[in-house]
Amino acid sequence: MTLTLPNIIPILNAKTNGKPENFEIDSVSIDSRSLQNGAGTLFFAIAGPNYDAHSYISNLIENGVRNFVVTHIPENLEGKAYFIIVENTLDALQQFAAWYRGLFHFPVIGITGSNGKTIVKEWLNFLLGPDYNIIRSPKSYNSQVGVPLSVVSINENHNLGIFEAGISTVNEMVKLEPIIRPTIGLLTNIGSAHDEGFSNLGEKIKEKLKLFTHSDILICHKNKTVEAFLSQKVTTFTWSCKDESADVFIGKKPMVDKTVLKIRHNGQVFEIKIPFQDDASIENAIQCLMVLLHFGYSHETIEQRMELLYPVEMRLKVKNGINNTTLIDDSYSSDFQSLKIALDFLESQKQYKKKTLILSDIFQSGLDTDELYSKVSQLVISNKIQRVIGIGETISAYKNKFANCITFKDTEGFIDAFDTLSFGNETILIKGARTFEFERIVLLLEEKTHETVLEINLNAISHNLNFFKSKLKPATKMMVMVKAFGYGNGGFEIAKLLEHHHVDYLGVAFADEGISLKSAGIKLPIMVLNPETTSFQSIIQHELEPEIYSIKGLKSFLQIAKQRKLEQFPIHIKIDTGMHRLGFEENNMDELIAILKENKSVKVKSILSHMATSDDVSFKDFALSQITRFEKLSAKLMTGLQIHPIRHMLNTSGITNFPDAQYDMVRLGIGLYGISNDAEEQKQLENVGTLKSVISQIRTIPEGDSVGYGRRFIADKPTKIATIPIGYADGISRGWGNEKGFVTIKNKKAPILGSVCMDMLMVDISNISCKEGDRVVIFGESPTVNEIAKALGTIPYEILTGISQRVKRVFYRE
């Protein structure tokens, strides 16, 4: 949605200074470091306890930002930009977001509670994603700043919102409610997080319930304490595992590594399985189940989708540790309620009988210190923790409450003593408040794997899929290309996700790719774009659907089809409209019609063509001539055979540049993987693949020494270099070496020195503080695949598909 400054200024009740160069606003920002800030950005200069964004306005002006919401104009900047002057920039951001939210009228789920908000949000996005174009809070953007930034990301293509709201004290929710304005409320677990901000539990509940003041319905656990603070105007949809008067009554039964939920609702009973056994995950899953029931999903759909839920590694992360240990990383917070949840999670995830708890001082408990650590001791005993390592002055004072306990006053003390401690064949829960910097402990205990991996973000794939779906007419089908090992990203895992999202077709280049997917259990129809005649038997055997592009190929397939007595086997007819690669031409049409007219062995499932210049608008006339030719030849074929098959010719760039030629289906390719040749569209896509490695070795070479084969780099001063275990055998072009290319270490560019070797490359880290074992980004957010392709004079396809299959693919959801 295009916003203009004249629309915005009255909302903020602001004064102005200067003349705007551009009235249109395409983004809102509060981060002065963002490289996305530009002429269309409206920058809110927010002042926090440790920073004031007004200090960075001068740099932003140099980088092209022209429109600012400020409390004052910084010295010497008057007349250099357009300033919207308000009393409080945070209030202004919230006012703007609330106004912006009012421009949209689709269902919005508002989530609040003490625990589970982010997980429930991410799971709901997964469960509802196949049917809705969802806007949701990124990561844990649930604060006074995070919520408005989430909401102003809504666009006209969204038809469902899911937003978190987090508060730490009174009078905060009243500011977030008009920004989220949820039509559907969801109250998750109420625990002790942020208890210090409230005088009692009742005040905390009352404040959280303000989010649902205007909601049509509130979904929550049936709880007398909560009900005591609910307005009679609020309609509830409740669940319980104990109170049978709840709208939904649920029984739980553990089964191996799953939990079976027996659900009673509206006089009907059905069962689902979820892949968890810990209480926190079960409760979060039930919250999601309630939303699906409210939305009217069938029991079958609920069962299918709920079983696919996955761990969300935002707070509790399972990692491999040194000496055959498993780490449960929960270095996000330290309060009593989350400790209980973490210990429960530890029990469900343990791989070893021996269990160790590394615990910092506990905050936000709402209990006095004696009672708190007595309760913690009881938890440790009940969870059969064999060893406790306490870190902090308070827990050190209560050391005698724990058996087999060693304590340190701070994290530094633990690190100094690390070599004297023994860890092995155990599961370790690392639970600490952020002020203790327990990530340093995790780093010590985490297994160091010097491996190169290509990490694939499945959430980003879903986002990009939905982005292109939003460009289609309601009846237009979608084929997604997973050829070339999913453009280098991996085949089966992506195909499985696409199947979950109900795409209509998958496309592969050769039969073996399709056979691999079918053998792995993919049930979607798969079209083989470049079938060789020798693969026809296998194509038929595995129920793949061949593209037929020549008379010779058609006759060969029909001969086999006749021998196997096939009837109405689906085939796809390729027409050459100007690409001149594969396909029937106009002079083949009569013969093609004659062969197919009386043939019962096959059925023309679709007619397709391929555009040669859909990505280059300078060839628009040629592209339109291809569309015209396709219309003419496909119509002739349809008339001659008296059929109405699917027609399709648009690829990724065609979807954007030629929307009137969608026909019955489009073919989404590299756009799914976050790549566009359109700069504006690229901003809308999410990065899917991040190629990572590690630093194997660091050395400093003197002036005059060289690096790599052929001495193509000679140091003109002492130079610190790092060796990275990835080379041209992994798919890194030799042309990317010799200081033309770079990698990213600690968010800084490290130029590649000398020639790229077969299995290694060397980079300059003279200005980067790093060490052996640190992570290196080869491509992802920086450098991007587009950047590398442009520098090498090639296309992103070549960069992605060139990554060797010896590089391990790791799939994850944020």
Side-chain angles (χ1 to χ4, degrees):
M1 174 174 289
T2 301
L3 299 173
T4 63
L5 290 173
N7 294 137
I8 296 169
I9 294 165
I11 299 156
L12 304 182
N13 191 27
K15 298 177 182 178
T16 61
N17 181 278
K19 294 183 179 180
E21 295 178 9
N22 183 357
F23 279 92
E24 292 189 355
I25 297 299
D26 57 24
S27 65
V28 171
S29 176
I30 64 165
D31 185 357
S32 60
R33 298 165 298 180
S34 174
L35 298 178
Q36 298 177 27
N37 294 324
T41 299
L42 180 61
F43 186 87
F44 286 76
I46 294 176
N50 302 313
Y51 70 94
D52 185 349
H54 290 79
S55 304
Y56 305 107
I57 289 177
S58 178
N59 293 336
L60 287 163
I61 292 173
E62 290 181 9
N63 292 330
V65 180
R66 290 293 176 265
N67 302 306
F68 298 88
V69 179
V70 297
T71 57
H72 63 279
I73 301 173
E75 189 176 352
N76 299 323
L77 293 184
E78 187 166 345
K80 295 185 178 181
Y82 185 61
F83 294 101
I84 301 169
I85 305 166
V86 298
E87 289 187 9
N88 184 298
T89 48
L90 176 57
D91 288 347
L93 175 63
Q94 293 174 340
Q95 291 164 13
F96 169 68
W99 168 81
Y100 187 77
R101 165 68 180 91
L103 301 178
F104 300 91
H105 304 285
F106 51 73
V108 171
I109 301 172
I111 307 173
T112 193
S114 301
N115 306 103
K117 296 185 295 295
T118 301
I119 293 172
V120 169
K121 177 199 68 187
E122 294 300 319
W123 282 354
L124 284 176
N125 180 71
F126 173 74
L127 294 166
L128 299 172
D131 309 305
Y132 294 91
N133 190 9
I134 298 172
I135 173 71
R136 72 191 195 279
S137 310
K139 297 185 179 179
S140 295
Y141 271 39
N142 59 25
S143 66
Q144 297 291 303
V145 172
V147 169
L149 289 178
S150 300
V151 167
V152 297
S153 297
I154 300 174
N155 65 44
E156 300 93 328
N157 299 317
H158 296 125
N159 56 13
L160 178 66
I162 309 176
F163 297 106
E164 297 180 49
I167 56 171
S168 57
T169 188
V170 296
N171 300 321
E172 288 187 344
M173 194 64 84
V174 71
K175 296 180 179 180
L176 299 184
E177 191 277 337
I179 301 173
I180 298 177
R181 202 72 168 191
T183 58
I184 301 164
L186 187 57
L187 183 65
T188 66
N189 175 277
I190 297 290
S192 59
H194 302 295
D195 268 358
E196 68 275 16
F198 304 93
S199 59
N200 53 57
L201 179 61
E203 184 178 65
K204 182 177 182 179
I205 293 172
K206 187 176 180 180
E207 181 70 14
K208 289 186 177 293
L209 290 175
K210 289 178 182 177
L211 179 61
F212 313 122
T213 303
H214 298 96
S215 298
D216 298 328
I217 193 164
L218 170 60
I219 296 171
C220 62
H221 180 232
K222 190 169 180 59
N223 181 300
K224 290 182 180 180
T225 305
V226 171
E227 289 173 348
F229 294 96
L230 274 175
S231 167
Q232 292 183 350
K233 296 178 181 179
V234 177
T235 301
T236 59
F237 183 39
T238 62
W239 65 272
S240 180
C241 297
K242 297 179 180 179
D243 189 345
E244 296 193 19
S245 68
D247 297 308
V248 179
F249 184 72
I250 300 170
K252 298 182 291 185
K253 181 176 68 176
M255 185 186 75
V256 191
D257 57 347
K258 301 178 187 291
T259 299
V260 177
L261 300 181
K262 187 175 183 180
I263 300 147
R264 191 173 71 203
H265 173 235
N266 278 348
Q268 294 182 304
V269 177
F270 66 102
E271 289 186 349
I272 65 170
K273 297 184 187 72
I274 57 173
F276 307 103
Q277 288 192 320
D278 64 288
D279 290 341
S281 295
I282 293 171
E283 182 169 337
N284 292 332
I286 290 172
Q287 302 281 14
C288 296
L289 161 72
M290 293 292 289
V291 174
L292 295 182
L293 288 172
H294 173 68
F295 274 62
Y297 279 84
S298 70
H299 297 169
E300 292 77 16
T301 300
I302 292 173
E303 182 180 0
Q304 290 169 5
R305 296 188 185 180
M306 293 290 289
E307 194 167 7
L308 296 175
L309 290 178
Y310 52 87
V312 177
E313 293 187 7
M314 284 198 171
R315 299 187 181 183
L316 286 164
K317 302 177 183 179
V318 183
K319 301 177 177 180
N320 290 329
I322 59 173
N323 305 327
N324 297 318
T325 60
T326 297
L327 310 182
I328 309 296
D329 177 5
D330 191 17
S331 49
Y332 181 85
S333 64
S334 183
D335 61 84
F336 181 68
Q337 190 66 25
S338 68
L339 175 60
K340 293 201 301 183
I341 294 169
L343 287 169
D344 194 13
F345 185 75
L346 164 64
E347 184 62 26
S348 70
Q349 293 293 322
K350 68 175 183 181
Q351 293 188 27
Y352 304 96
K353 187 175 181 180
K354 182 181 177 182
K355 291 178 287 186
T356 293
L357 170 63
I358 302 177
L359 181 67
S360 77
D361 287 348
I362 294 176
F363 305 129
Q364 306 171 346
S365 69
L367 304 170
D368 69 66
T369 309
D370 285 336
E371 184 181 3
L372 169 63
Y373 284 98
S374 294
K375 286 182 176 291
V376 172
S377 175
Q378 292 168 15
L379 280 180
V380 168
I381 294 169
S382 63
N383 281 273
K384 299 179 181 178
I385 303 297
Q386 281 84 5
R387 176 171 59 159
V388 174
I389 299 175
I391 299 178
E393 292 186 358
T394 306
I395 197 170
S396 295
Y398 286 90
K399 175 181 177 180
N400 62 344
K401 287 188 177 289
F402 305 96
N404 192 19
C405 178
I406 181 173
T407 61
F408 301 91
K409 288 192 175 182
D410 54 32
T411 303
E412 201 65 45
F414 172 88
I415 292 172
D416 290 343
F418 181 76
D419 290 339
T420 67
L421 302 172
S422 175
F423 295 96
N425 301 304
E426 60 190 305
T427 304
I428 307 167
L429 171 61
I430 304 164
K431 176 71 175 163
R434 282 194 166 184
T435 54
F436 285 86
E437 298 182 344
F438 269 20
E439 63 271 15
R440 298 165 67 194
I441 294 176
V442 174
L443 189 61
L444 283 173
L445 288 168
E446 192 172 1
E447 182 182 42
K448 308 302 185 292
T449 54
H450 287 240
E451 59 180 6
T452 297
V453 299
L454 179 60
E455 294 183 349
I456 311 300
N457 184 341
L458 297 177
N459 286 92
I461 289 179
S462 297
H463 167 86
N464 297 336
L465 176 69
N466 287 328
F467 171 77
F468 285 101
K469 275 185 176 180
S470 71
K471 292 175 174 283
L472 304 182
K473 299 168 186 174
T476 303
K477 299 178 184 295
M478 180 177 281
M479 175 185 290
V480 180
M481 311 309 296
V482 290
K483 62 181 181 177
F485 194 50
Y487 288 71
N489 292 283
F492 169 72
E493 292 84 358
I494 292 174
K496 194 68 179 174
L497 180 66
L498 295 171
E499 193 167 60
H500 173 71
H501 280 287
H502 301 302
V503 302
D504 300 283
Y505 260 91
L506 298 179
V508 298
F510 298 104
D512 57 350
E513 295 174 314
I515 292 169
S516 176
L517 293 176
K518 285 290 187 181
S519 299
I522 297 298
K523 294 181 173 56
L524 282 175
I526 299 174
M527 188 178 90
V528 182
L529 281 79
N530 307 318
E532 298 159 321
T533 55
T534 54
S535 68
F536 284 159
Q537 293 279 9
S538 296
I539 284 174
I540 293 169
Q541 178 184 344
H542 293 276
E543 298 182 337
L544 303 173
E545 302 180 16
E547 174 190 286
I548 303 296
Y549 49 80
S550 69
I551 295 295
K552 179 182 177 183
L554 176 61
K555 288 181 176 178
S556 296
F557 190 82
L558 290 175
Q559 183 179 0
I560 295 171
K562 185 176 180 180
Q563 291 171 354
R564 300 187 64 158
K565 299 180 181 179
L566 299 180
E567 291 187 9
Q568 302 292 298
F569 193 92
I571 63 171
H572 302 261
I573 300 296
K574 176 74 169 285
I575 296 175
D576 182 4
T577 57
M579 180 80 165
H580 297 330
R581 185 172 63 179
L582 294 174
F584 293 96
E585 296 182 289
E586 187 168 4
N587 58 11
N588 302 135
M589 286 295 108
D590 290 337
E591 185 178 3
L592 176 61
I593 292 169
I595 294 172
L596 289 173
K597 196 163 190 177
E598 302 302 327
N599 197 294
K600 304 297 182 184
S601 298
V602 296
K603 174 185 179 180
V604 177
K605 192 70 176 289
S606 82
I607 303 172
L608 68 146
S609 187
H610 196 79
M611 300 181 73
T613 61
S614 63
D615 60 342
D616 191 339
V617 293
S618 66
F619 289 106
K620 183 176 181 180
D621 289 343
F622 180 79
L624 292 174
S625 74
Q626 279 197 272
I627 295 169
T628 300
R629 192 173 297 120
F630 179 68
E631 175 65 34
K632 175 185 175 182
L633 297 183
S634 62
K636 181 175 181 177
L637 187 57
M638 291 164 64
T639 302
L641 297 176
Q642 291 295 295
I643 58 173
H644 297 282
I646 299 168
R647 291 192 289 175
H648 51 111
M649 72 178 303
L650 295 186
N651 55 6
T652 295
S653 52
I655 293 171
T656 299
N657 294 330
F658 299 94
D660 292 335
Q662 289 181 14
Y663 286 99
D664 306 296
M665 185 163 70
V666 297
R667 301 189 299 272
L668 178 61
I670 200 166
L672 181 76
Y673 307 99
I675 305 295
S676 173
N677 66 332
D678 180 276
E680 290 304 311
E681 184 171 84
Q682 184 66 57
K683 296 176 183 178
Q684 304 297 317
L685 301 178
E686 293 186 359
N687 179 65
V688 169
T690 301
L691 182 59
K692 292 182 177 181
S693 193
V694 296
I695 297 175
S696 293
Q697 190 176 43
I698 293 175
R699 73 183 72 231
T700 299
I701 63 171
E703 179 182 349
D705 273 19
S706 60
V707 173
Y709 289 115
R711 303 199 75 200
R712 289 185 173 84
F713 173 82
I714 297 177
D716 59 6
K717 59 184 177 182
T719 304
K720 191 176 180 182
I721 63 171
T723 301
I724 318 299
I726 185 172
Y728 60 76
D730 301 293
I732 307 303
S733 171
R734 278 171 53 84
W736 189 233
N738 299 313
E739 298 179 85
K740 190 170 190 175
F742 67 94
V743 301
T744 299
I745 302 172
K746 300 289 187 179
N747 296 318
K748 293 184 178 181
K749 291 183 178 181
I752 299 173
L753 303 180
S755 298
V756 174
C757 306
M758 179 181 288
D759 307 299
M760 286 171 279
L761 55 83
M762 288 70 75
V763 300
D764 185 351
I765 56 167
S766 299
N767 299 315
I768 302 174
S769 176
C770 56
K771 60 185 181 301
E772 292 175 0
D774 280 351
R775 278 289 177 187
V776 179
V777 174
I778 312 300
F779 66 64
E781 296 290 349
S782 178
T784 66
V785 172
N786 276 332
E787 282 181 272
I788 297 173
K790 185 176 181 180
L792 295 178
T794 185
I795 56 177
Y797 296 78
E798 185 174 346
I799 306 301
L800 285 177
T801 59
I803 301 304
S804 167
Q805 290 198 35
R806 81 175 188 175
V807 173
K808 180 182 178 181
R809 270 69 173 174
V810 175
F811 298 85
Y812 72 97
R813 295 186 178 91
E814 290 182 338

